[in-house]
Amino acid sequence: MTNTPDLQDASVIVALDEGGRVAVLSSRNSRHGGMFLPGGRRDPGEQPEQCARRELREEAGVTAAKWRHLGTYAITLGSAARMSLYLAEELSLGPQELNDTEKDFKLTWWPLADAVTAAAEGRFLLPAGPLALLLVNRLFKNSA
């Protein structure tokens, strides 16, 4: 097991609009390219949901009136860092607030089923997004 002390707590968000579409980001310039859900590292003193709200607003230009915590998971066995996953609904759209490292982030809206398929096909860059999508998909299948 590798010790990874540089990892930080983070949050990832499935932002689901009234039409059942999910906010998906992509970047050509990241080390690995690919697509991912809004999210990122917590700032000092920030709670997981505060981080989720901030990251969704900054990266996607989206605010949400309804939030649901999907779970919190270890990022790796060698680190105390945790990843908190959220479902955000009742969305309002605004401008993205991208910093210099995010300036090429492109926002698209995918039907939930298509995003889940892309996750199952390994097309997402980071593992927390697919996990969050699968949890949301299961949540809606169980409530139907």
Side-chain angles (χ1 to χ4, degrees), residues 6-29:
D6 57 330
L7 294 177
Q8 294 175 270
D9 289 350
S11 296
V12 170
I13 308 96
V14 175
L16 190 67
D17 73 7
E18 65 280 348
R21 298 176 309 156
V22 176
V24 176
L25 295 167
S26 61
S27 171
R28 311 182 301 288
N29 295 328

Side-chain angles (χ1 to χ4, degrees), residues 57-132:
R57 184 189 73 248
E58 290 174 358
E59 293 184 351
V62 174
T63 57
K66 184 177 175 185
W67 287 84
R68 181 174 183 156
H69 183 243
L70 300 169
T72 299
Y73 304 89
I75 294 177
T76 71
L77 292 175
S79 171
R82 309 281 286 169
M83 178 70 64
S84 297
L85 307 178
Y86 290 91
L87 169 62
E89 296 178 283
E90 299 177 16
L91 309 179
S92 298
L93 306 181
Q96 289 174 288
E97 302 171 19
L98 303 175
N99 65 37
D100 288 342
T101 63
E102 302 165 337
K103 62 186 171 202
D104 78 316
F105 283 13
K106 180 181 176 190
L107 174 65
T108 56
W109 291 90
W110 290 50
L112 177 60
D114 292 351
V116 169
T117 297
E121 292 172 349
R123 294 168 49 201
F124 274 78
L125 176 60
L126 304 167
L131 175 57

